[in-house]
Amino acid sequence: MNLLLPSTASSSSSLSPSALFPCYSHGFSSSSFKFSKKESRCTRKAKRTEITAKFELKPPPYPLNALEPIMSQETLEYHWGKHHRTYVDNLNRQIDGTDLDGNSLEDTVVISYNKGDILPAFNNAAQAWNHDFFWESMKPGGGGKPSGDLLKLIERDFGSFEKFLDEFKTAASTQFGSGWAWLAYKESRLDVGNAVNPLRSDEDNKLVVVKTPNAVNPLVWNYYHPLLTIDIWEHAYFIDFQNGCRNYISVFMDKLVSWEAVSLRLEQAKARIMEREEEAERKRREEEEKPTISKATPELWTQNE
Amino acid sequence: MAARALLSRRTLASVLRNDAKPLRVGFAAAAAATHSRRGLHVYTLPDLDYDYGALEPVISGEIMQLHHQKHHQTYITNYNKALEQLQSSIAKPDSSAVVKLQSAIKFNGGGHINHSIFWKNLAPAREGGGEPPKGSLGWAIDTHFGSFEALIQKVNAEGAALQGSGWVWLGLDKELKRLVVETTPNQDPLVTKGPNLVPLLGIDVWEHAYYLQYKNVRPDYLKNIWKVINWKYASEVYEKESS
Ligand SMILES: [Fe+2]
Ligand SMILES: [Fe+2]
C-alpha cells in the first residue's frame, strides 16, 4: 500500500501541483453559504458505564469558544465533543481485554499499525492521538512566526519561513481525501546494519513536511517526531469554511498555530533522540563486554542440531 | 470634467460588467476555444433532473447546491485542466509529466464520473425516489443478497465502515453476471475495483455529502438516503448492461 508510505510534499515540477487538487477552487465566496450557527448544542455525556475506560477524552487546552471567530465553538463541539470522543470510546471498547490493553496511546498507535498490516484498533487509536495533538497545535491568538532554535532549523531545512509555509500549505491542500499534514523532525538513520555512523550529530536530523491519509500519522514510521499537524478531514472545516479548504489552511497557519507548542515538541524530540542514542550506546557496550556469552550461544545451537 | 467623470464611470461599469462577474465565463470560453482547436473535449457541469430542495428532508437544498455547484464543479474544472496539461505533456513529449498527471486525472476525473452517476441515482420521493426496484434488477437483488432489505443493510454497513472519504457501490460484474457491493477510497471510480464492474448505484460518503445535516452521524445519512434513491435509473443500467 504505497499510500501508507511517507510522501514528502515537494513541488519541484513545472506543473503547479495544487492547481489540480481538491482544495483548489476559484471564485468562491463563502459568504453565499452561511448557515445558522444556533442549531444544536452538543450536550451528550460519554456513556462509559460498561467499559473500564483506559483512555480519557482530554479537552483542548482552551475553552471551546476560544478559537472564534476562526474556528467556531460549534465546530469544536462536534469535532472534539463528537468525532474525537467517538474515536476514544471506540478504541476503549476495541482494546478492552485484548493484548493491546494497558499500553500508552502512542504505543497503541505504533503496535496496532503493525508495520502496515494494520489491526482493527489502529484507526481509532491513531485518530485519538492525532486529535489530542491537533488541539495542542493551536492556541487562541496563535500564528505569526516561530523563533529561536525552531526558526533557525526551519530556515536551514526549508530555505526560509515563507518557503516552509508554502510547502506545508501545498502538502495540506493536495490531499486526495481525508487526512493530515505534518511538520516532523526526522531522525537521521545513517547506520546500516551493524555499522554505526561514527560522527552522528544533531545536524543529521532535519525538519520535513509530510502528509498522511485518513488516520495515519508519522509515529508509525519510527524516527519521525511529529511537531505540528493540521486536520484536513472535511469535518475540521466544513461548518466554518464549507469547501474553502485552502482558506482554512491559510488561516490556520496565520492565526491558530501555537509555535510555543511546536518549539516545545522540538525540544522533547531532541531529548528523546538523545535518550534513544544513549540507550543504544549502552546496549552496544554491554554486548562488547560480554563476548564469551554471545559466542557461547551459537555453539549451543550447533549442539542441538 | 463632467465628461471625463462620466467616461470613467462608464469604463468602470463596463469593467465590472465584462470582467468582474463574468470573469470565469470569459476564461472558460477562451479555454473552450483553445480546446476545440486542439480537439479536446471540455467537460461541463451536468444539470440536475430536480431542484436542489427537492430531496428534502433527506438531503437539504444547501447541501445539494454546495455539492453540485462547488464540489462537482471543482472536479470538472481540475479534470479539464489536467487533461489540457496531459495533452501538452504528450505533445512535448514529457513522459514524467504524463505519469505525474495520472493521480490528478484519476482523482478529478473520478470525481466527475462518480458525481454524475450520484445525481442520477437520486430522485424526489414524489417522482418515485425510494420505490424499490422491480423487474430483473429486483430479482437479481433477491438472488444475490437474499432480499432488498439485506442489500440495504450490507451497503449501510460497508458505507459506515469506510475510513475517511469514499464511495459505496452496488455494481454489476458483467463477466461473472453477478451483483456486488464494493467501496472505493476518495474519488476512485468503481472500475478501479475491476474492469468488468459497472456502477448501478453509488453513494457518496465524503463528509461534504452529509455534514451540514447529519454531522458526525454517517449511519443516519445512509439510513435515510434510501428514501430518495432512484431505482428506475439503476434498473435501466442493469437491463442494458446485463442483456
Ligand atoms: Fe478531525
Ligand atoms: Fe461528493
Side-chain angles (χ1 to χ4, degrees), chain A residues 56-79:
Chain A
E56 290 289 328
L57 176 71
K58 247 196 293 175
Y62 36 78
L64 296 189
N65 64 0
L67 304 180
E68 298 244 9
I70 299 153
M71 201 175 269
S72 66
Q73 176 168 346
E74 192 190 3
T75 290
L76 274 269
E77 280 168 352
Y78 281 106
H79 198 177

PDB file of all heavy atoms in Angstrom, chain A residues 56-79:
ATOM      1  N   GLU A  56      -8.786   8.558  28.353  1.00  0.00           N
ATOM      2  CA  GLU A  56      -9.744   9.629  28.633  1.00  0.00           C
ATOM      3  C   GLU A  56      -9.778  10.578  27.444  1.00  0.00           C
ATOM      4  O   GLU A  56      -8.757  10.783  26.779  1.00  0.00           O
ATOM      5  CB  GLU A  56      -9.282  10.411  29.865  1.00  0.00           C
ATOM      6  CG  GLU A  56      -9.384   9.635  31.166  1.00  0.00           C
ATOM      7  CD  GLU A  56     -10.820   9.426  31.602  1.00  0.00           C
ATOM      8  OE1 GLU A  56     -11.651  10.310  31.321  1.00  0.00           O
ATOM      9  OE2 GLU A  56     -11.111   8.375  32.202  1.00  0.00           O
ATOM     10  N   LEU A  57     -10.932  11.178  27.228  1.00  0.00           N
ATOM     11  CA  LEU A  57     -11.027  12.231  26.227  1.00  0.00           C
ATOM     12  C   LEU A  57     -10.533  13.520  26.880  1.00  0.00           C
ATOM     13  O   LEU A  57     -11.213  14.094  27.720  1.00  0.00           O
ATOM     14  CB  LEU A  57     -12.469  12.396  25.765  1.00  0.00           C
ATOM     15  CG  LEU A  57     -12.713  13.547  24.785  1.00  0.00           C
ATOM     16  CD1 LEU A  57     -12.113  13.239  23.422  1.00  0.00           C
ATOM     17  CD2 LEU A  57     -14.199  13.840  24.651  1.00  0.00           C
ATOM     18  N   LYS A  58      -9.320  13.916  26.496  1.00  0.00           N
ATOM     19  CA  LYS A  58      -8.739  15.143  27.058  1.00  0.00           C
ATOM     20  C   LYS A  58      -9.357  16.357  26.377  1.00  0.00           C
ATOM     21  O   LYS A  58      -9.453  16.378  25.159  1.00  0.00           O
ATOM     22  CB  LYS A  58      -7.235  15.168  26.768  1.00  0.00           C
ATOM     23  CG  LYS A  58      -6.349  15.038  27.987  1.00  0.00           C
ATOM     24  CD  LYS A  58      -4.914  15.473  27.668  1.00  0.00           C
ATOM     25  CE  LYS A  58      -4.187  14.560  26.703  1.00  0.00           C
ATOM     26  NZ  LYS A  58      -2.868  15.042  26.304  1.00  0.00           N
ATOM     27  N   PRO A  59      -9.773  17.371  27.139  1.00  0.00           N
ATOM     28  CA  PRO A  59     -10.291  18.566  26.460  1.00  0.00           C
ATOM     29  C   PRO A  59      -9.147  19.377  25.854  1.00  0.00           C
ATOM     30  O   PRO A  59      -8.007  19.267  26.301  1.00  0.00           O
ATOM     31  CB  PRO A  59     -10.960  19.345  27.588  1.00  0.00           C
ATOM     32  CG  PRO A  59     -10.329  18.855  28.842  1.00  0.00           C
ATOM     33  CD  PRO A  59      -9.823  17.464  28.597  1.00  0.00           C
ATOM     34  N   PRO A  60      -9.457  20.196  24.840  1.00  0.00           N
ATOM     35  CA  PRO A  60      -8.416  21.081  24.297  1.00  0.00           C
ATOM     36  C   PRO A  60      -7.910  21.999  25.409  1.00  0.00           C
ATOM     37  O   PRO A  60      -8.644  22.263  26.374  1.00  0.00           O
ATOM     38  CB  PRO A  60      -9.155  21.890  23.230  1.00  0.00           C
ATOM     39  CG  PRO A  60     -10.375  21.106  22.906  1.00  0.00           C
ATOM     40  CD  PRO A  60     -10.737  20.368  24.152  1.00  0.00           C
ATOM     41  N   PRO A  61      -6.682  22.508  25.298  1.00  0.00           N
ATOM     42  CA  PRO A  61      -6.115  23.348  26.353  1.00  0.00           C
ATOM     43  C   PRO A  61      -6.643  24.788  26.316  1.00  0.00           C
ATOM     44  O   PRO A  61      -5.896  25.721  26.590  1.00  0.00           O
ATOM     45  CB  PRO A  61      -4.610  23.298  26.074  1.00  0.00           C
ATOM     46  CG  PRO A  61      -4.506  23.019  24.623  1.00  0.00           C
ATOM     47  CD  PRO A  61      -5.707  22.207  24.253  1.00  0.00           C
ATOM     48  N   TYR A  62      -7.902  24.960  25.928  1.00  0.00           N
ATOM     49  CA  TYR A  62      -8.550  26.280  25.899  1.00  0.00           C
ATOM     50  C   TYR A  62     -10.052  26.026  25.806  1.00  0.00           C
ATOM     51  O   TYR A  62     -10.471  24.930  25.428  1.00  0.00           O
ATOM     52  CB  TYR A  62      -8.081  27.108  24.685  1.00  0.00           C
ATOM     53  CG  TYR A  62      -7.849  26.268  23.441  1.00  0.00           C
ATOM     54  CD1 TYR A  62      -8.923  25.824  22.669  1.00  0.00           C
ATOM     55  CD2 TYR A  62      -6.569  25.873  23.061  1.00  0.00           C
ATOM     56  CE1 TYR A  62      -8.726  25.020  21.556  1.00  0.00           C
ATOM     57  CE2 TYR A  62      -6.357  25.061  21.949  1.00  0.00           C
ATOM     58  CZ  TYR A  62      -7.432  24.651  21.212  1.00  0.00           C
ATOM     59  OH  TYR A  62      -7.238  23.832  20.125  1.00  0.00           O
ATOM     60  N   PRO A  63     -10.876  27.017  26.178  1.00  0.00           N
ATOM     61  CA  PRO A  63     -12.329  26.809  26.079  1.00  0.00           C
ATOM     62  C   PRO A  63     -12.760  26.592  24.624  1.00  0.00           C
ATOM     63  O   PRO A  63     -12.057  27.025  23.706  1.00  0.00           O
ATOM     64  CB  PRO A  63     -12.918  28.123  26.608  1.00  0.00           C
ATOM     65  CG  PRO A  63     -11.799  28.821  27.311  1.00  0.00           C
ATOM     66  CD  PRO A  63     -10.522  28.335  26.715  1.00  0.00           C
ATOM     67  N   LEU A  64     -13.893  25.939  24.445  1.00  0.00           N
ATOM     68  CA  LEU A  64     -14.324  25.581  23.090  1.00  0.00           C
ATOM     69  C   LEU A  64     -14.633  26.801  22.219  1.00  0.00           C
ATOM     70  O   LEU A  64     -14.672  26.693  20.993  1.00  0.00           O
ATOM     71  CB  LEU A  64     -15.551  24.662  23.144  1.00  0.00           C
ATOM     72  CG  LEU A  64     -15.330  23.281  23.792  1.00  0.00           C
ATOM     73  CD1 LEU A  64     -16.554  22.405  23.586  1.00  0.00           C
ATOM     74  CD2 LEU A  64     -14.090  22.584  23.249  1.00  0.00           C
ATOM     75  N   ASN A  65     -14.850  27.944  22.843  1.00  0.00           N
ATOM     76  CA  ASN A  65     -15.130  29.134  22.026  1.00  0.00           C
ATOM     77  C   ASN A  65     -13.884  30.004  21.828  1.00  0.00           C
ATOM     78  O   ASN A  65     -13.962  31.088  21.256  1.00  0.00           O
ATOM     79  CB  ASN A  65     -16.267  29.960  22.631  1.00  0.00           C
ATOM     80  CG  ASN A  65     -15.889  30.520  24.004  1.00  0.00           C
ATOM     81  OD1 ASN A  65     -14.782  30.282  24.496  1.00  0.00           O
ATOM     82  ND2 ASN A  65     -16.796  31.256  24.608  1.00  0.00           N
ATOM     83  N   ALA A  66     -12.738  29.524  22.311  1.00  0.00           N
ATOM     84  CA  ALA A  66     -11.543  30.374  22.342  1.00  0.00           C
ATOM     85  C   ALA A  66     -10.940  30.628  20.969  1.00  0.00           C
ATOM     86  O   ALA A  66     -10.142  31.547  20.800  1.00  0.00           O
ATOM     87  CB  ALA A  66     -10.495  29.769  23.269  1.00  0.00           C
ATOM     88  N   LEU A  67     -11.283  29.796  19.991  1.00  0.00           N
ATOM     89  CA  LEU A  67     -10.686  29.982  18.666  1.00  0.00           C
ATOM     90  C   LEU A  67     -11.612  30.752  17.726  1.00  0.00           C
ATOM     91  O   LEU A  67     -11.336  30.908  16.545  1.00  0.00           O
ATOM     92  CB  LEU A  67     -10.314  28.622  18.055  1.00  0.00           C
ATOM     93  CG  LEU A  67      -9.378  27.758  18.909  1.00  0.00           C
ATOM     94  CD1 LEU A  67      -9.087  26.439  18.200  1.00  0.00           C
ATOM     95  CD2 LEU A  67      -8.070  28.478  19.209  1.00  0.00           C
ATOM     96  N   GLU A  68     -12.736  31.234  18.276  1.00  0.00           N
ATOM     97  CA  GLU A  68     -13.660  32.060  17.482  1.00  0.00           C
ATOM     98  C   GLU A  68     -12.934  33.333  17.080  1.00  0.00           C
ATOM     99  O   GLU A  68     -12.092  33.802  17.829  1.00  0.00           O
ATOM    100  CB  GLU A  68     -14.886  32.412  18.328  1.00  0.00           C
ATOM    101  CG  GLU A  68     -15.687  31.216  18.780  1.00  0.00           C
ATOM    102  CD  GLU A  68     -17.116  31.206  18.197  1.00  0.00           C
ATOM    103  OE1 GLU A  68     -17.384  32.047  17.321  1.00  0.00           O
ATOM    104  OE2 GLU A  68     -17.915  30.376  18.600  1.00  0.00           O
ATOM    105  N   PRO A  69     -13.236  33.956  15.985  1.00  0.00           N
ATOM    106  CA  PRO A  69     -14.242  33.530  15.013  1.00  0.00           C
ATOM    107  C   PRO A  69     -13.677  32.611  13.923  1.00  0.00           C
ATOM    108  O   PRO A  69     -14.372  32.286  12.984  1.00  0.00           O
ATOM    109  CB  PRO A  69     -14.664  34.863  14.389  1.00  0.00           C
ATOM    110  CG  PRO A  69     -13.401  35.685  14.397  1.00  0.00           C
ATOM    111  CD  PRO A  69     -12.605  35.227  15.602  1.00  0.00           C
ATOM    112  N   ILE A  70     -12.409  32.206  14.080  1.00  0.00           N
ATOM    113  CA  ILE A  70     -11.786  31.414  13.018  1.00  0.00           C
ATOM    114  C   ILE A  70     -12.327  29.995  13.022  1.00  0.00           C
ATOM    115  O   ILE A  70     -12.807  29.475  12.023  1.00  0.00           O
ATOM    116  CB  ILE A  70     -10.264  31.407  13.200  1.00  0.00           C
ATOM    117  CG1 ILE A  70      -9.760  32.850  13.113  1.00  0.00           C
ATOM    118  CG2 ILE A  70      -9.593  30.548  12.152  1.00  0.00           C
ATOM    119  CD1 ILE A  70      -8.498  33.073  13.881  1.00  0.00           C
ATOM    120  N   MET A  71     -12.216  29.383  14.202  1.00  0.00           N
ATOM    121  CA  MET A  71     -12.786  28.049  14.343  1.00  0.00           C
ATOM    122  C   MET A  71     -13.892  28.178  15.378  1.00  0.00           C
ATOM    123  O   MET A  71     -13.635  28.502  16.535  1.00  0.00           O
ATOM    124  CB  MET A  71     -11.700  27.075  14.789  1.00  0.00           C
ATOM    125  CG  MET A  71     -12.020  25.643  14.482  1.00  0.00           C
ATOM    126  SD  MET A  71     -10.646  24.560  14.902  1.00  0.00           S
ATOM    127  CE  MET A  71      -9.729  24.513  13.370  1.00  0.00           C
ATOM    128  N   SER A  72     -15.118  27.941  14.930  1.00  0.00           N
ATOM    129  CA  SER A  72     -16.268  28.257  15.770  1.00  0.00           C
ATOM    130  C   SER A  72     -16.434  27.258  16.910  1.00  0.00           C
ATOM    131  O   SER A  72     -15.947  26.123  16.843  1.00  0.00           O
ATOM    132  CB  SER A  72     -17.531  28.261  14.922  1.00  0.00           C
ATOM    133  OG  SER A  72     -17.776  26.955  14.444  1.00  0.00           O
ATOM    134  N   GLN A  73     -17.143  27.707  17.922  1.00  0.00           N
ATOM    135  CA  GLN A  73     -17.479  26.819  19.031  1.00  0.00           C
ATOM    136  C   GLN A  73     -18.260  25.617  18.513  1.00  0.00           C
ATOM    137  O   GLN A  73     -18.057  24.489  18.960  1.00  0.00           O
ATOM    138  CB  GLN A  73     -18.301  27.582  20.068  1.00  0.00           C
ATOM    139  CG  GLN A  73     -18.779  26.693  21.200  1.00  0.00           C
ATOM    140  CD  GLN A  73     -19.334  27.485  22.367  1.00  0.00           C
ATOM    141  OE1 GLN A  73     -19.132  28.700  22.462  1.00  0.00           O
ATOM    142  NE2 GLN A  73     -20.036  26.808  23.249  1.00  0.00           N
ATOM    143  N   GLU A  74     -19.129  25.872  17.541  1.00  0.00           N
ATOM    144  CA  GLU A  74     -19.926  24.765  17.001  1.00  0.00           C
ATOM    145  C   GLU A  74     -19.004  23.688  16.410  1.00  0.00           C
ATOM    146  O   GLU A  74     -19.207  22.493  16.621  1.00  0.00           O
ATOM    147  CB  GLU A  74     -20.900  25.271  15.937  1.00  0.00           C
ATOM    148  CG  GLU A  74     -21.934  24.221  15.580  1.00  0.00           C
ATOM    149  CD  GLU A  74     -22.771  24.563  14.367  1.00  0.00           C
ATOM    150  OE1 GLU A  74     -22.534  25.608  13.729  1.00  0.00           O
ATOM    151  OE2 GLU A  74     -23.651  23.755  14.034  1.00  0.00           O
ATOM    152  N   THR A  75     -17.997  24.121  15.663  1.00  0.00           N
ATOM    153  CA  THR A  75     -17.044  23.162  15.099  1.00  0.00           C
ATOM    154  C   THR A  75     -16.370  22.359  16.199  1.00  0.00           C
ATOM    155  O   THR A  75     -16.285  21.136  16.142  1.00  0.00           O
ATOM    156  CB  THR A  75     -15.992  23.885  14.246  1.00  0.00           C
ATOM    157  OG1 THR A  75     -16.615  24.372  13.063  1.00  0.00           O
ATOM    158  CG2 THR A  75     -14.861  22.954  13.839  1.00  0.00           C
ATOM    159  N   LEU A  76     -15.906  23.062  17.234  1.00  0.00           N
ATOM    160  CA  LEU A  76     -15.223  22.364  18.328  1.00  0.00           C
ATOM    161  C   LEU A  76     -16.173  21.415  19.066  1.00  0.00           C
ATOM    162  O   LEU A  76     -15.778  20.330  19.476  1.00  0.00           O
ATOM    163  CB  LEU A  76     -14.624  23.367  19.323  1.00  0.00           C
ATOM    164  CG  LEU A  76     -13.236  23.954  19.066  1.00  0.00           C
ATOM    165  CD1 LEU A  76     -12.166  23.115  19.728  1.00  0.00           C
ATOM    166  CD2 LEU A  76     -12.925  24.117  17.600  1.00  0.00           C
ATOM    167  N   GLU A  77     -17.431  21.828  19.214  1.00  0.00           N
ATOM    168  CA  GLU A  77     -18.385  20.971  19.903  1.00  0.00           C
ATOM    169  C   GLU A  77     -18.577  19.655  19.160  1.00  0.00           C
ATOM    170  O   GLU A  77     -18.699  18.597  19.774  1.00  0.00           O
ATOM    171  CB  GLU A  77     -19.729  21.691  20.087  1.00  0.00           C
ATOM    172  CG  GLU A  77     -19.685  22.654  21.271  1.00  0.00           C
ATOM    173  CD  GLU A  77     -20.882  23.584  21.315  1.00  0.00           C
ATOM    174  OE1 GLU A  77     -21.681  23.593  20.360  1.00  0.00           O
ATOM    175  OE2 GLU A  77     -21.000  24.326  22.305  1.00  0.00           O
ATOM    176  N   TYR A  78     -18.608  19.737  17.841  1.00  0.00           N
ATOM    177  CA  TYR A  78     -18.736  18.497  17.069  1.00  0.00           C
ATOM    178  C   TYR A  78     -17.396  17.782  16.942  1.00  0.00           C
ATOM    179  O   TYR A  78     -17.297  16.581  17.139  1.00  0.00           O
ATOM    180  CB  TYR A  78     -19.314  18.778  15.681  1.00  0.00           C
ATOM    181  CG  TYR A  78     -20.803  18.961  15.731  1.00  0.00           C
ATOM    182  CD1 TYR A  78     -21.377  20.215  15.596  1.00  0.00           C
ATOM    183  CD2 TYR A  78     -21.631  17.859  15.953  1.00  0.00           C
ATOM    184  CE1 TYR A  78     -22.747  20.379  15.673  1.00  0.00           C
ATOM    185  CE2 TYR A  78     -23.008  18.020  16.029  1.00  0.00           C
ATOM    186  CZ  TYR A  78     -23.554  19.281  15.883  1.00  0.00           C
ATOM    187  OH  TYR A  78     -24.904  19.421  15.964  1.00  0.00           O
ATOM    188  N   HIS A  79     -16.387  18.551  16.601  1.00  0.00           N
ATOM    189  CA  HIS A  79     -15.102  17.933  16.266  1.00  0.00           C
ATOM    190  C   HIS A  79     -14.466  17.285  17.492  1.00  0.00           C
ATOM    191  O   HIS A  79     -14.008  16.152  17.437  1.00  0.00           O
ATOM    192  CB  HIS A  79     -14.184  18.998  15.662  1.00  0.00           C
ATOM    193  CG  HIS A  79     -13.031  18.428  14.898  1.00  0.00           C
ATOM    194  ND1 HIS A  79     -12.128  19.199  14.222  1.00  0.00           N
ATOM    195  CD2 HIS A  79     -12.624  17.153  14.709  1.00  0.00           C
ATOM    196  CE1 HIS A  79     -11.230  18.423  13.660  1.00  0.00           C
ATOM    197  NE2 HIS A  79     -11.515  17.178  13.939  1.00  0.00           N
TER     198      HIS A  79
END
